[in-house]
Coordinates of all heavy atoms in Angstrom, one line a residue:
L1 N -16.9 -78.1 14.6 CA -16.0 -77.1 15.1 C -16.8 -76.1 16.0 O -17.8 -75.6 15.5 CB -15.2 -76.4 14.0 CG -14.3 -75.2 14.4 CD1 -13.1 -75.7 15.2 CD2 -13.9 -74.5 13.2
E2 N -16.4 -75.9 17.2 CA -17.0 -74.9 18.0 C -15.9 -73.9 18.4 O -14.8 -74.2 18.6 CB -17.5 -75.6 19.3 CG -18.8 -76.4 19.1 CD -19.4 -76.9 20.4 OE1 -19.2 -76.2 21.4 OE2 -20.0 -78.0 20.3
K3 N -16.4 -72.6 18.5 CA -15.5 -71.6 18.9 C -16.2 -70.6 19.8 O -17.4 -70.2 19.5 CB -15.0 -70.8 17.6 CG -14.1 -69.7 17.9 CD -12.9 -69.7 17.0 CE -12.0 -68.5 17.4 NZ -10.7 -68.8 17.4
S4 N -15.6 -70.2 20.8 CA -16.2 -69.2 21.7 C -15.8 -67.8 21.3 O -14.6 -67.6 20.8 CB -15.8 -69.4 23.2 OG -16.3 -70.7 23.6
F5 N -16.6 -66.8 21.4 CA -16.3 -65.4 21.2 C -17.1 -64.5 22.0 O -18.1 -64.9 22.6 CB -16.4 -65.1 19.7 CG -17.8 -65.2 19.2 CD1 -18.7 -64.2 19.2 CD2 -18.3 -66.4 18.7 CE1 -20.0 -64.3 18.7 CE2 -19.6 -66.6 18.2 CZ -20.4 -65.5 18.2
T6 N -16.6 -63.3 22.1 CA -17.3 -62.3 23.0 C -17.7 -61.1 22.0 O -17.0 -60.7 21.2 CB -16.3 -61.7 24.0 OG1 -15.9 -62.8 24.8 CG2 -17.0 -60.7 24.9
I7 N -18.9 -60.7 22.2 CA -19.4 -59.5 21.5 C -19.5 -58.3 22.5 O -20.1 -58.5 23.6 CB -20.8 -59.8 20.9 CG1 -20.8 -60.9 19.9 CG2 -21.4 -58.5 20.3 CD1 -22.1 -61.3 19.4
Q8 N -18.9 -57.3 22.1 CA -18.9 -56.1 23.0 C -19.8 -55.0 22.4 O -19.6 -54.7 21.2 CB -17.5 -55.5 23.1 CG -17.4 -54.3 24.0 CD -16.0 -53.7 24.1 OE1 -15.1 -54.2 23.4 NE2 -15.8 -52.8 25.0
V9 N -20.8 -54.6 23.1 CA -21.7 -53.6 22.6 C -21.2 -52.2 23.1 O -21.0 -52.0 24.3 CB -23.1 -53.8 23.1 CG1 -24.1 -52.7 22.7 CG2 -23.6 -55.2 22.6
I10 N -21.0 -51.3 22.2 CA -20.5 -50.0 22.5 C -21.6 -49.0 22.5 O -22.4 -49.0 21.5 CB -19.4 -49.6 21.6 CG1 -18.2 -50.6 21.6 CG2 -18.9 -48.2 21.9 CD1 -17.2 -50.3 20.6
N11 N -21.8 -48.3 23.5 CA -22.9 -47.2 23.5 C -22.4 -46.0 22.7 O -21.5 -45.3 23.1 CB -23.2 -46.8 25.0 CG -24.4 -45.9 25.0 OD1 -25.2 -45.8 24.1 ND2 -24.5 -45.2 26.2
L12 N -23.1 -45.8 21.5 CA -22.7 -44.7 20.7 C -23.1 -43.4 21.3 O -24.1 -43.3 22.0 CB -23.3 -44.9 19.3 CG -22.9 -46.1 18.5 CD1 -23.7 -46.2 17.2 CD2 -21.4 -46.1 18.2
P13 N -22.3 -42.4 21.1 CA -22.7 -41.1 21.6 C -24.0 -40.6 21.1 O -24.5 -41.0 20.0 CB -21.5 -40.1 21.2 CG -20.9 -40.8 20.1 CD -21.2 -42.3 20.2
D14 N -24.6 -39.7 21.8 CA -25.9 -39.1 21.3 C -25.7 -38.4 20.0 O -24.7 -37.8 19.7 CB -26.4 -38.1 22.4 CG -26.8 -38.8 23.7 OD1 -27.3 -39.9 23.6 OD2 -26.6 -38.1 24.7
V15 N -26.8 -38.4 19.2 CA -26.7 -37.8 17.9 C -27.1 -36.3 18.0 O -27.8 -35.9 18.9 CB -27.6 -38.5 16.9 CG1 -27.1 -39.9 16.7 CG2 -29.1 -38.5 17.4
P16 N -26.8 -35.5 17.0 CA -27.2 -34.1 17.0 C -28.7 -34.0 17.1 O -29.5 -34.9 16.6 CB -26.7 -33.6 15.6 CG -25.6 -34.4 15.3 CD -26.0 -35.8 15.8
T17 N -29.2 -32.9 17.7 CA -30.6 -32.8 18.0 C -31.3 -31.7 17.1 O -32.5 -31.8 16.9 CB -30.9 -32.4 19.4 OG1 -30.2 -31.2 19.7 CG2 -30.5 -33.5 20.4
S18 N -30.5 -30.8 16.5 CA -31.1 -29.8 15.6 C -30.0 -29.1 14.8 O -28.9 -29.1 15.1 CB -31.9 -28.7 16.4 OG -31.0 -27.9 17.1
L19 N -30.5 -28.5 13.7 CA -29.7 -27.8 12.8 C -30.4 -26.5 12.5 O -31.5 -26.5 12.1 CB -29.4 -28.5 11.4 CG -28.7 -27.8 10.3 CD1 -27.3 -27.5 10.7 CD2 -28.8 -28.6 9.0
T20 N -29.7 -25.3 12.7 CA -30.3 -24.0 12.4 C -29.4 -23.2 11.5 O -28.2 -23.5 11.4 CB -30.5 -23.3 13.7 OG1 -29.2 -23.1 14.4 CG2 -31.5 -24.0 14.7
L21 N -30.0 -22.2 10.9 CA -29.2 -21.3 10.1 C -29.5 -19.9 10.7 O -30.6 -19.5 10.8 CB -29.7 -21.3 8.6 CG -29.1 -20.4 7.6 CD1 -27.6 -20.7 7.5 CD2 -29.8 -20.5 6.3
S22 N -28.4 -19.2 11.0 CA -28.5 -17.9 11.7 C -29.3 -16.8 10.9 O -29.9 -16.0 11.5 CB -27.2 -17.4 12.1 OG -26.4 -17.0 11.0
G23 N -29.2 -16.9 9.6 CA -29.9 -15.9 8.8 C -30.8 -16.5 7.8 O -30.6 -17.6 7.4
N24 N -31.9 -15.9 7.6 CA -32.9 -16.5 6.6 C -33.3 -15.4 5.6 O -34.4 -15.5 5.0 CB -34.1 -17.1 7.3 CG -34.9 -16.1 8.1 OD1 -34.5 -14.9 8.2 ND2 -36.0 -16.5 8.7
V25 N -32.6 -14.3 5.5 CA -32.9 -13.2 4.5 C -31.8 -13.1 3.5 O -30.6 -13.0 3.9 CB -33.1 -11.9 5.3 CG1 -33.3 -10.8 4.3 CG2 -34.2 -12.0 6.3
W26 N -32.1 -13.1 2.3 CA -31.2 -12.9 1.2 C -31.6 -11.7 0.4 O -32.6 -11.7 -0.3 CB -31.1 -14.1 0.3 CG -30.1 -14.1 -0.8 CD1 -29.0 -13.4 -0.9 CD2 -30.1 -15.0 -1.9 NE1 -28.3 -13.7 -2.0 CE2 -29.0 -14.7 -2.7 CE3 -31.0 -16.0 -2.4 CZ2 -28.7 -15.3 -3.8 CZ3 -30.7 -16.6 -3.5 CH2 -29.5 -16.3 -4.3
E27 N -31.0 -10.6 0.7 CA -31.4 -9.3 0.1 C -31.2 -9.2 -1.4 O -30.1 -9.6 -1.9 CB -30.7 -8.1 0.8 CG -31.0 -8.0 2.3 CD -30.3 -6.9 3.0 OE1 -29.9 -5.9 2.3 OE2 -30.2 -6.9 4.2
E28 N -32.1 -8.7 -2.1 CA -32.1 -8.5 -3.5 C -31.0 -7.6 -3.9 O -30.7 -6.6 -3.3 CB -33.4 -8.1 -4.1 CG -33.5 -8.1 -5.5 CD -34.9 -7.8 -6.0 OE1 -35.7 -7.2 -5.3 OE2 -35.2 -8.2 -7.2
Q29 N -30.3 -7.9 -5.1 CA -29.3 -7.0 -5.7 C -28.0 -6.9 -4.9 O -27.2 -6.0 -5.2 CB -29.9 -5.6 -6.0 CG -31.1 -5.6 -7.0 CD -30.8 -6.3 -8.3 OE1 -29.7 -6.1 -8.9 NE2 -31.7 -7.1 -8.8
R30 N -27.8 -7.7 -3.9 CA -26.5 -7.7 -3.3 C -25.5 -8.6 -4.1 O -25.9 -9.5 -4.7 CB -26.6 -8.3 -1.8 CG -27.5 -7.3 -1.0 CD -27.3 -7.3 0.4 NE -25.9 -7.2 0.8 CZ -25.5 -7.5 2.0 NH1 -26.3 -8.1 2.9 NH2 -24.3 -7.3 2.4
P31 N -24.2 -8.2 -4.1 CA -23.3 -8.9 -4.9 C -23.2 -10.4 -4.5 O -23.4 -10.8 -3.4 CB -22.0 -8.2 -4.7 CG -22.3 -7.0 -3.9 CD -23.6 -7.1 -3.4
A32 N -22.8 -11.2 -5.5 CA -22.5 -12.6 -5.2 C -21.4 -12.7 -4.1 O -20.6 -11.8 -4.0 CB -22.0 -13.4 -6.5
G33 N -21.3 -13.8 -3.4 CA -20.3 -13.9 -2.3 C -20.8 -13.4 -1.0 O -20.0 -13.4 -0.1
Q34 N -22.0 -13.0 -0.9 CA -22.5 -12.4 0.4 C -22.9 -13.6 1.4 O -23.5 -14.6 1.0 CB -23.7 -11.5 0.2 CG -23.4 -10.3 -0.6 CD -22.5 -9.4 0.1 OE1 -22.8 -9.0 1.3 NE2 -21.4 -9.0 -0.5
L35 N -22.6 -13.4 2.6 CA -23.0 -14.3 3.7 C -24.5 -14.3 3.9 O -25.0 -13.2 4.1 CB -22.3 -14.0 5.0 CG -22.7 -14.8 6.2 CD1 -22.3 -16.3 6.0 CD2 -22.1 -14.2 7.5
I36 N -25.1 -15.4 3.8 CA -26.6 -15.5 4.1 C -26.8 -15.8 5.5 O -27.6 -15.3 6.2 CB -27.3 -16.5 3.1 CG1 -27.1 -16.0 1.7 CG2 -28.7 -16.7 3.5 CD1 -27.5 -17.0 0.7
G37 N -26.0 -16.8 6.0 CA -26.1 -17.2 7.4 C -25.1 -18.3 7.8 O -24.5 -18.8 6.9
A38 N -25.0 -18.6 9.1 CA -24.1 -19.6 9.5 C -25.0 -20.8 10.1 O -25.9 -20.6 10.8 CB -23.2 -19.1 10.6
F39 N -24.5 -22.0 9.7 CA -25.2 -23.2 10.3 C -24.7 -23.4 11.7 O -23.5 -23.2 12.0 CB -24.9 -24.4 9.4 CG -25.5 -24.4 8.1 CD1 -24.7 -24.1 6.9 CD2 -26.8 -24.6 7.9 CE1 -25.2 -24.1 5.7 CE2 -27.4 -24.6 6.6 CZ -26.6 -24.3 5.5
Q40 N -25.5 -23.9 12.5 CA -25.1 -24.3 13.9 C -25.9 -25.6 14.2 O -27.1 -25.7 14.0 CB -25.5 -23.3 14.9 CG -25.0 -23.6 16.3 CD -25.1 -22.5 17.3 OE1 -25.8 -21.5 17.0 NE2 -24.6 -22.7 18.5
T41 N -25.2 -26.6 14.7 CA -25.7 -27.9 15.1 C -25.7 -28.0 16.6 O -24.7 -27.8 17.2 CB -24.9 -29.0 14.5 OG1 -24.9 -28.8 13.1 CG2 -25.5 -30.4 14.8
A42 N -26.9 -28.3 17.1 CA -27.0 -28.6 18.6 C -26.7 -30.1 18.7 O -27.3 -31.0 18.2 CB -28.4 -28.3 19.1
D43 N -25.7 -30.4 19.5 CA -25.2 -31.7 19.7 C -24.8 -32.0 21.2 O -24.0 -31.2 21.7 CB -23.9 -32.0 18.8 CG -23.5 -33.4 18.7 OD1 -23.8 -34.2 19.6 OD2 -22.9 -33.7 17.7
P44 N -25.3 -33.0 21.8 CA -25.0 -33.2 23.2 C -23.5 -33.7 23.4 O -23.0 -33.6 24.5 CB -25.9 -34.3 23.6 CG -26.5 -34.9 22.4 CD -26.3 -33.9 21.3
N45 N -22.9 -34.1 22.3 CA -21.5 -34.5 22.4 C -20.6 -33.3 21.9 O -20.5 -33.1 20.7 CB -21.2 -35.7 21.6 CG -19.8 -36.3 21.7 OD1 -18.9 -35.6 22.2 ND2 -19.6 -37.5 21.3
P46 N -20.0 -32.6 22.8 CA -19.2 -31.4 22.4 C -18.0 -31.7 21.6 O -17.4 -30.8 21.0 CB -18.8 -30.8 23.8 CG -18.9 -31.9 24.7 CD -19.9 -32.8 24.2
L47 N -17.5 -33.0 21.5 CA -16.4 -33.3 20.7 C -16.7 -33.6 19.3 O -15.8 -33.8 18.5 CB -15.6 -34.5 21.4 CG -15.2 -34.3 22.8 CD1 -14.5 -35.5 23.4 CD2 -14.2 -33.1 22.9
D48 N -18.0 -33.8 19.0 CA -18.4 -34.1 17.6 C -18.0 -32.9 16.7 O -18.1 -31.7 17.1 CB -19.9 -34.3 17.5 CG -20.2 -35.7 17.9 OD1 -19.3 -36.5 18.2 OD2 -21.4 -36.0 18.0
Q49 N -17.7 -33.2 15.4 CA -17.4 -32.2 14.4 C -18.5 -32.4 13.3 O -19.0 -33.5 13.1 CB -16.0 -32.4 13.8 CG -15.0 -32.1 14.8 CD -13.6 -32.2 14.2 OE1 -13.4 -32.6 13.0 NE2 -12.6 -31.9 14.9
H50 N -18.9 -31.3 12.7 CA -20.0 -31.4 11.7 C -19.5 -30.8 10.4 O -18.8 -29.8 10.4 CB -21.2 -30.6 12.2 CG -21.7 -31.2 13.6 ND1 -21.3 -30.6 14.8 CD2 -22.4 -32.2 13.9 CE1 -21.8 -31.3 15.8 NE2 -22.5 -32.3 15.2
R51 N -20.0 -31.4 9.3 CA -19.7 -31.0 8.0 C -21.1 -30.7 7.3 O -22.0 -31.5 7.4 CB -19.0 -32.0 7.2 CG -18.6 -31.6 5.8 CD -17.8 -32.6 5.1 NE -18.8 -33.6 4.6 CZ -18.5 -34.8 4.2 NH1 -17.3 -35.3 4.2 NH2 -19.5 -35.7 3.8
Y52 N -21.1 -29.6 6.6 CA -22.4 -29.1 5.9 C -22.1 -29.2 4.4 O -21.1 -28.8 4.0 CB -22.8 -27.7 6.4 CG -22.8 -27.6 7.9 CD1 -21.7 -27.1 8.6 CD2 -23.9 -28.0 8.6 CE1 -21.8 -27.0 10.0 CE2 -24.0 -27.9 10.0 CZ -22.9 -27.4 10.7 OH -22.9 -27.4 12.0
E53 N -23.1 -29.6 3.7 CA -23.0 -29.7 2.3 C -24.4 -29.6 1.6 O -25.4 -30.0 2.2 CB -22.3 -30.9 1.8 CG -22.9 -32.2 2.2 CD -22.0 -33.4 1.8 OE1 -21.0 -33.6 2.4 OE2 -22.4 -34.1 0.8
L54 N -24.4 -29.1 0.4 CA -25.7 -29.1 -0.4 C -25.7 -30.5 -1.1 O -24.8 -30.9 -1.7 CB -25.6 -28.0 -1.4 CG -25.5 -26.6 -0.8 CD1 -25.2 -25.5 -1.8 CD2 -26.8 -26.2 0.0
I55 N -26.9 -31.1 -1.0 CA -27.0 -32.4 -1.7 C -28.1 -32.4 -2.7 O -29.0 -31.5 -2.7 CB -27.3 -33.5 -0.6 CG1 -28.6 -33.2 0.1 CG2 -26.2 -33.6 0.4 CD1 -29.1 -34.3 1.0
S56 N -28.1 -33.3 -3.6 CA -29.1 -33.4 -4.7 C -30.3 -34.1 -4.1 O -30.2 -34.9 -3.1 CB -28.6 -34.1 -5.9 OG -28.2 -35.4 -5.6
G57 N -31.5 -33.9 -4.7 CA -32.7 -34.5 -4.3 C -33.8 -33.5 -4.3 O -33.7 -32.4 -4.9
E58 N -34.9 -33.8 -3.7 CA -36.1 -32.9 -3.6 C -35.7 -31.6 -3.0 O -35.1 -31.5 -2.0 CB -37.2 -33.6 -2.8 CG -38.5 -32.8 -2.8 CD -39.6 -33.4 -2.1 OE1 -39.6 -34.6 -1.9 OE2 -40.6 -32.7 -1.7
G59 N -36.0 -30.5 -3.7 CA -35.7 -29.2 -3.2 C -34.3 -28.7 -3.6 O -33.9 -27.6 -3.1
S60 N -33.5 -29.4 -4.4 CA -32.2 -29.0 -4.7 C -32.0 -28.3 -6.0 O -30.8 -28.0 -6.4 CB -31.3 -30.3 -4.7 OG -31.6 -31.1 -5.8
N61 N -33.0 -27.9 -6.6 CA -32.9 -27.3 -8.0 C -32.0 -26.0 -8.0 O -31.4 -25.7 -9.0 CB -34.3 -26.9 -8.5 CG -35.1 -28.1 -8.8 OD1 -34.6 -29.2 -8.9 ND2 -36.4 -27.9 -9.0
D62 N -32.0 -25.3 -6.9 CA -31.3 -24.0 -6.8 C -29.9 -24.1 -6.1 O -29.3 -23.1 -5.7 CB -32.1 -22.9 -6.2 CG -33.3 -22.6 -7.1 OD1 -33.2 -22.6 -8.3 OD2 -34.4 -22.4 -6.5
N63 N -29.5 -25.3 -5.8 CA -28.2 -25.5 -5.1 C -27.0 -24.7 -5.8 O -26.1 -24.2 -5.1 CB -27.8 -27.0 -5.0 CG -28.5 -27.7 -3.9 OD1 -29.3 -27.1 -3.2 ND2 -28.2 -29.0 -3.8
W64 N -27.1 -24.6 -7.1 CA -26.1 -23.9 -7.9 C -25.9 -22.5 -7.4 O -24.8 -21.9 -7.7 CB -26.3 -24.0 -9.4 CG -27.7 -23.4 -9.7 CD1 -28.9 -24.0 -9.8 CD2 -27.9 -22.0 -10.0 NE1 -29.9 -23.1 -10.1 CE2 -29.3 -21.9 -10.3 CE3 -27.1 -20.9 -10.2 CZ2 -29.9 -20.7 -10.6 CZ3 -27.7 -19.7 -10.5 CH2 -29.0 -19.6 -10.7
A65 N -26.9 -21.9 -6.8 CA -26.9 -20.5 -6.5 C -26.2 -20.2 -5.1 O -26.1 -19.1 -4.7 CB -28.3 -19.9 -6.4
F66 N -25.8 -21.3 -4.4 CA -25.2 -21.2 -3.1 C -23.9 -22.0 -3.0 O -23.7 -22.9 -3.8 CB -26.2 -21.7 -2.1 CG -27.5 -21.1 -2.1 CD1 -28.6 -21.6 -2.9 CD2 -27.8 -19.9 -1.5 CE1 -29.8 -21.0 -2.9 CE2 -29.0 -19.2 -1.6 CZ -30.0 -19.8 -2.3
Q67 N -23.1 -21.6 -2.0 CA -21.9 -22.4 -1.7 C -21.8 -22.4 -0.1 O -22.2 -21.5 0.5 CB -20.7 -21.7 -2.2 CG -19.4 -22.4 -2.0 CD -18.2 -21.7 -2.6 OE1 -18.2 -20.5 -2.6 NE2 -17.2 -22.5 -3.0
I68 N -21.3 -23.5 0.4 CA -21.1 -23.6 1.8 C -19.6 -23.6 2.0 O -18.8 -24.3 1.4 CB -21.7 -24.9 2.4 CG1 -23.2 -24.9 2.2 CG2 -21.3 -25.1 3.9 CD1 -23.9 -26.1 2.7
Q69 N -19.2 -22.6 2.9 CA -17.8 -22.5 3.2 C -17.7 -22.7 4.7 O -18.0 -21.8 5.5 CB -17.3 -21.1 2.8 CG -17.4 -20.8 1.4 CD -17.1 -19.3 1.0 OE1 -17.0 -18.5 1.9 NE2 -17.1 -19.0 -0.3
G70 N -17.2 -23.9 5.1 CA -17.1 -24.2 6.5 C -18.5 -24.4 7.0 O -19.2 -25.3 6.6
N71 N -19.0 -23.5 7.9 CA -20.4 -23.5 8.4 C -21.2 -22.4 7.8 O -22.3 -22.1 8.3 CB -20.4 -23.6 9.9 CG -20.0 -22.2 10.5 OD1 -19.2 -21.5 10.0 ND2 -20.6 -21.9 11.6
Q72 N -20.7 -21.7 6.8 CA -21.4 -20.5 6.3 C -22.0 -20.7 4.9 O -21.4 -21.3 4.0 CB -20.4 -19.3 6.2 CG -19.9 -18.9 7.5 CD -19.0 -17.7 7.5 OE1 -18.4 -17.4 6.4 NE2 -18.9 -17.0 8.5
L73 N -23.3 -20.3 4.8 CA -24.0 -20.3 3.5 C -23.8 -19.0 2.8 O -24.1 -18.0 3.4 CB -25.5 -20.6 3.8 CG -26.4 -20.7 2.5 CD1 -26.0 -21.9 1.7 CD2 -27.8 -20.8 2.9
V74 N -23.3 -19.1 1.6 CA -22.9 -17.9 0.9 C -23.6 -17.9 -0.5 O -23.7 -19.0 -1.1 CB -21.3 -17.9 0.7 CG1 -20.9 -16.7 -0.2 CG2 -20.6 -17.9 2.0
S75 N -24.0 -16.7 -1.0 CA -24.6 -16.6 -2.3 C -23.6 -16.7 -3.4 O -22.5 -16.3 -3.2 CB -25.4 -15.3 -2.4 OG -24.5 -14.2 -2.4
Q76 N -24.0 -17.3 -4.5 CA -23.1 -17.4 -5.7 C -23.6 -16.5 -6.8 O -22.9 -16.4 -7.8 CB -23.1 -18.9 -6.2 CG -22.3 -19.8 -5.2 CD -20.9 -19.5 -5.1 OE1 -20.5 -18.8 -4.2 NE2 -20.1 -19.9 -6.1
I77 N -24.7 -15.9 -6.6 CA -25.3 -15.1 -7.7 C -25.9 -13.8 -7.0 O -26.0 -13.7 -5.8 CB -26.4 -15.8 -8.4 CG1 -27.6 -16.2 -7.5 CG2 -25.9 -17.0 -9.1 CD1 -28.8 -16.7 -8.2
I78 N -26.3 -12.8 -7.8 CA -27.0 -11.7 -7.4 C -28.5 -12.1 -7.4 O -29.0 -12.5 -8.4 CB -26.7 -10.5 -8.3 CG1 -25.3 -10.1 -8.3 CG2 -27.6 -9.3 -7.9 CD1 -24.9 -9.0 -9.3
A79 N -29.2 -11.9 -6.3 CA -30.6 -12.3 -6.2 C -31.4 -11.2 -7.0 O -31.2 -10.0 -6.8 CB -31.0 -12.3 -4.8
D80 N -32.2 -11.7 -7.9 CA -33.0 -10.8 -8.7 C -34.4 -11.4 -8.8 O -34.6 -12.4 -9.6 CB -32.4 -10.5 -10.1 CG -33.2 -9.5 -10.8 OD1 -34.2 -9.0 -10.3 OD2 -32.8 -9.2 -12.0
Y81 N -35.3 -10.9 -8.1 CA -36.7 -11.6 -8.0 C -37.6 -11.1 -9.1 O -38.8 -11.5 -9.1 CB -37.3 -11.3 -6.6 CG -36.5 -11.9 -5.5 CD1 -35.8 -11.0 -4.7 CD2 -36.4 -13.3 -5.3 CE1 -35.0 -11.6 -3.6 CE2 -35.6 -13.8 -4.3 CZ -34.9 -12.9 -3.5 OH -34.2 -13.5 -2.5
L82 N -37.1 -10.3 -10.0 CA -38.0 -9.7 -11.1 C -38.2 -10.7 -12.2 O -37.4 -11.5 -12.6 CB -37.5 -8.4 -11.6 CG -37.5 -7.3 -10.5 CD1 -36.9 -6.0 -11.1 CD2 -38.9 -7.0 -10.0

């Protein structure tokens, strides 16, 4: 049995080039629920949508202290460095 078929190669859009967080300071003794910063993704495709989440793995021990709401990183605890 022989069958002819066509393969169509679709050029996928460019992938995001960087991820940044607008803030990198978490002030001590501020109440839980404070905005730490907003994520922004540089993407050559302006129609792409991005979802941010905390994942498990190396460096994830303190994920419980944060929450992501949309593109914002928010504290879940009062920072106390003592």
Side-chain angles (χ1 to χ4, degrees):
L1 175 67
E2 288 186 30
K3 178 134 180 141
S4 296
F5 60 92
T6 302
I7 297 175
Q8 180 180 8
V9 177
I10 301 171
N11 186 16
L12 297 175
D14 293 327
V15 297
T17 57
S18 69
L19 171 66
T20 57
L21 180 64
S22 65
N24 63 355
V25 175
W26 185 17
E27 295 179 23
E28 190 173 20
Q29 300 303 318
R30 296 203 54 200
Q34 295 294 307
L35 173 67
I36 297 170
F39 294 105
Q40 184 173 7
T41 302
D43 191 334
N45 186 343
L47 300 178
D48 280 353
Q49 295 181 357
H50 303 96
R51 183 181 76 197
Y52 307 97
E53 60 185 74
L54 299 169
I55 60 172
S56 61
E58 185 177 341
S60 66
N61 293 346
D62 296 321
N63 279 0
W64 60 270
F66 305 95
Q67 181 180 35
I68 296 178
Q69 299 171 352
N71 73 327
Q72 297 183 334
L73 181 64
V74 177
S75 67
Q76 290 295 99
I77 62 170
I78 298 172
D80 186 358
Y81 300 109
L82 298 178

